[in-house]
Amino acid sequence: MKLFIIGFFSGIVSGMGIGGGTILIPSLILFTQLTQKQTQGINLIVFIPISIVALIVHYINKNIEFKLAFLIIIGGIIGALIGSSIAVKINPNILKKLFSILLLCIGISELFIKKE
């Protein structure tokens, strides 16, 4: 039941376009015996069906600029190749700390940077 609840909230956040990994990865680290690398791998596989559903909803509501998305996809593919290569080679404790710092920076920016 615990994993279902984690998935449920992760799905809500993913559907909003915020990134379910911000919920999924820390939750799996806290409530399971999985390693950082395992939780990141699970996050990537869970992301596929959740993003497909969210993509369909956003497509129906005409919220996608395909020309912009294409450029971001190309950059994202290159970044994913580099990032995943680094992630499998880096010490898991360092990886966990880097992810924590990233989440902290995102949280601070959301609190203090004014957005319209």
Side-chain angles (χ1 to χ4, degrees):
M1 186 62 153
K2 178 175 29 177
L3 294 176
F4 176 82
I5 292 168
I6 291 170
F8 178 75
F9 285 113
S10 175
I12 290 172
V13 173
S14 291
M16 295 168 60
I18 297 170
T22 57
I23 299 291
L24 185 62
I25 293 172
S27 297
L28 288 176
I29 291 290
L30 290 172
F31 300 117
T32 69
Q33 300 298 316
L34 297 169
T35 67
Q36 180 75 23
K37 289 180 183 180
Q38 289 172 319
T39 61
Q40 287 180 218
I42 289 170
N43 178 61
L44 292 172
I45 198 74
V46 166
F47 178 75
I48 295 169
I50 292 172
S51 63
I52 289 170
V53 171
L55 178 62
I56 291 168
V57 172
H58 283 284
Y59 176 78
I60 290 169
N61 288 289
K62 299 180 180 9
N63 290 332
I64 302 171
E65 294 287 337
F66 285 100
K67 290 180 184 176
L68 296 174
F70 179 75
L71 294 172
I72 295 169
I73 289 168
I74 298 301
I77 289 171
I78 295 168
L81 287 169
I82 294 168
S84 60
S85 297
I86 293 169
V88 296
K89 294 177 184 171
I90 197 168
N91 180 305
N93 291 325
I94 293 173
L95 188 60
K96 187 185 293 187
K97 289 176 184 174
L98 290 172
F99 184 72
S100 299
I101 291 168
L102 173 67
L103 289 180
L104 180 64
C105 291
I106 291 169
I108 290 170
S109 71
E110 289 296 319
L111 284 173
F112 296 109
I113 297 176
K114 182 179 179 181
K115 296 178 183 170
E116 296 288 322

